[in-house]
Amino acid sequence: MTTATRAACVIGWPAKHSRSPKMHRWWLKHYGIDGDYRFEEVPSEEFPAFIANLRGNGYIGANITIPHKEAAFKLTDPDERARAVGASNTLWYGDDGVLRSTNSDVDGFLAALDVSAPGWSETGKHAVVVGAGGAGRAAVWGLLERGIRRIHVVNRTFDRAVALAERYGDRVVPTRWEDRNKVLDGAGLLANATTLGFRGNPELDIELSGMAPDAVVIDINYVPLETPLLARARQLGLKTADGLDMLLYQACTGFELWFGVRPQVTRELRELLAADIPKS
């Protein structure tokens, strides 16, 4: 790498588990670009200062992961997609030097479903999203874009689900945690947009047997690659989509903004990342 090497990073707390550096470095090598991509573990209280001096910290842009997406939205100049979601996961500097942001989680979420369950939006007109944070809002916005008629948002803190429904309108129904199994009956899609099921965390306690026979279950987590939720869904014969595909497809936007090339998601790259992810 030269002194002029452009570098981006993923910022989270924690962030060491992220496969984003391996993915972006693979693309950089594949396209012959002099660049780098790293991870930065930054606690919430230090995040505003780190973002305010992102360029001084050596970066032309960044991906943002849990728990900083909503803070990143407030600390940058968000585009229309980020404003719709109320959270930002991709940051870059505009030509005027202003730190801008977007939300590519929506694209990643929808692409993961399209790849794993083609035609899913034609049959699933009733969906359940667990989680009302930044990832949950991205999932809800994507489902609304694809014409899903009713979306139940389940969250332990009910007020957050209510706020999300107020943001998006009557097609979104705030749902109490204790009613999660009830609203899943007949649903065509379940999205886990929480860290439940992530390695070391409790799994998502929800009953899948009442879902529609052609239903799809997507989990934004990818460590392990097959989360307990996805394992149970497959045992019931349901279609599944995993967080690794979401990670891959959401990353394309940032890479193009930082390095000027729209990267391709290939089987070779997915298999490279999957081989590095614990199976349980």
Side-chain angles (χ1 to χ4, degrees):
M1 297 298 176
T2 71
T3 56
T5 293
R6 292 169 290 169
C9 65
V10 56
I11 308 171
W13 186 255
K16 288 181 181 177
H17 69 278
S18 176
R19 268 57 182 182
S20 290
K22 190 169 189 175
M23 171 177 56
H24 283 280
R25 287 171 178 173
W26 189 92
W27 277 330
L28 288 165
K29 182 178 180 180
H30 180 77
Y31 292 108
I33 296 171
D34 181 19
D36 196 12
Y37 188 101
R38 311 166 190 138
F39 69 81
E40 293 281 355
E41 291 200 314
V42 180
S44 295
E45 62 271 19
E46 298 175 12
F47 183 73
F50 191 92
I51 289 301
N53 193 37
L54 185 65
R55 182 169 277 159
N57 286 318
Y59 297 111
I60 60 172
N63 284 128
I64 308 299
T65 189
I66 293 171
H68 301 317
K69 294 180 182 181
E70 293 169 70
F73 171 77
K74 296 173 183 176
L75 295 167
T76 58
D77 181 16
D79 69 1
E80 184 176 355
R81 170 59 65 77
R83 288 195 296 271
V85 177
S88 299
N89 78 320
T90 304
L91 279 53
W92 76 101
Y93 286 99
D95 293 338
D96 55 3
V98 173
L99 186 59
R100 307 189 185 282
S101 67
T102 189
N103 191 304
S104 63
D105 280 339
V106 179
D107 297 326
F109 176 79
L110 294 175
L113 287 168
D114 290 339
V115 167
S116 300
W120 63 272
S121 60
E122 301 303 317
T123 58
K125 295 303 179 184
H126 164 202
V128 176
V129 174
V130 181
R137 288 202 295 273
V140 169
W141 184 253
L143 294 173
L144 290 171
E145 283 188 348
R146 288 297 182 90
I148 303 303
R149 289 195 293 262
R150 189 168 77 259
I151 305 164
H152 287 272
V153 176
V154 179
N155 200 66
R156 288 190 184 276
T157 305
F158 182 62
D159 288 349
R160 295 202 74 185
V162 171
L164 198 153
E166 290 174 347
R167 183 185 192 94
Y168 291 136
D170 293 343
R171 287 159 63 191
V172 180
V173 182
T175 305
R176 296 187 183 277
W177 186 257
E178 56 268 28
D179 293 328
R180 62 193 182 282
N181 293 328
K182 185 190 305 182
V183 297
L184 204 58
D185 281 349
L189 184 140
L190 168 65
N192 177 29
T194 74
T195 56
L196 291 171
F198 181 82
R199 192 181 193 193
N201 290 350
E203 67 177 275
L204 174 60
D205 179 16
I206 196 165
E207 178 53 57
L208 305 177
S209 60
M211 295 187 72
D214 58 352
V216 185
V217 177
I218 180 171
D219 197 327
I220 70 164
N221 297 297
Y222 60 87
V223 182
L225 189 55
E226 183 177 75
T227 62
L229 176 68
L230 295 184
R232 287 191 283 122
R234 286 177 180 149
Q235 288 171 0
L236 291 170
L238 303 177
K239 300 173 205 172
T240 61
D242 61 48
L244 182 55
D245 276 333
M246 182 173 171
L247 174 75
L248 284 159
Y249 285 99
Q250 66 79 29
C252 296
T253 297
F255 191 91
E256 183 175 19
L257 286 166
W258 307 320
F259 303 115
V261 174
R262 184 73 179 180
Q264 296 297 308
V265 175
T266 62
R267 180 179 294 275
E268 179 185 1
L269 177 56
R270 179 183 160 87
E271 290 178 350
L272 176 71
L273 296 182
D276 189 42
I277 295 174
K279 299 297 186 284
S280 63

